[in-house]
Amino acid sequence: MFIAHRAAENRILEALHRAGFTEITMAQARLGARIGPNGTRLNELAEQAQVAKQTATFLVDQLEKAGYAERVPDPTDGRARLVQITEFGKDLLPIARAEEARIDADWTAHIGVRRMKQLREALTMLREITDPY
């Protein structure tokens, strides 16, 4: 699972680089992929990415400097801030999704439609006991 996941991540990052988003790193992309549609608190990003809060802060700082993310007040807690994807950052999403679709098509061509369906079902079932998020 790890090798296939790493290969998919590499392909998506390469697609972003080919599209001109050359400054984004794998670490930034991994953290950025965990930012929810309504924003996510920094401590939650750190927990989900399984990195120290200082590392998450550094990565968010980099994403902010590049214009991909921003910190905004949390509407549910005036003391807290959320990390959100900017409009510019959202430009990466169609590129990443298109590469995901190509990966899906390649993998389906390699192992077949039936096995790919079984793989999705098995991974979805495993998520029920492995993904706390």
Side-chain angles (χ1 to χ4, degrees), residues 17-119:
H17 288 173
R18 282 192 309 272
F21 299 100
T22 56
E23 69 285 341
I24 194 159
T25 68
M26 184 64 77
Q28 293 167 353
R30 285 178 180 148
L31 192 80
R34 290 171 167 79
I35 299 172
N38 298 316
T40 305
R41 289 187 183 180
L42 188 68
N43 61 331
E44 293 172 5
L45 287 174
E47 181 183 331
Q48 290 179 31
Q50 297 181 341
V51 298
K53 187 175 177 190
Q54 294 85 347
T55 301
T57 298
F58 175 76
L59 293 170
V60 169
D61 288 346
Q62 291 180 320
L63 289 169
E64 276 190 308
K65 286 178 189 170
Y68 297 120
E70 63 186 345
R71 290 176 174 98
V72 298
D74 184 338
T76 64
D77 181 349
R79 301 165 297 164
R81 299 185 62 75
L82 296 174
V83 179
Q84 287 186 330
I85 300 292
T86 63
E87 290 304 314
F88 177 66
K90 290 177 184 176
D91 291 345
L92 278 73
L93 296 177
I95 298 161
R97 297 298 175 253
E99 189 61 29
E100 288 172 353
R102 284 189 286 276
I103 292 165
D104 185 82
D106 290 347
W107 290 6
T108 300
H110 183 72
I111 67 173
V113 173
R114 182 180 59 78
R115 283 192 176 138
M116 194 66 174
K117 182 179 182 226
Q118 290 171 333
L119 176 61

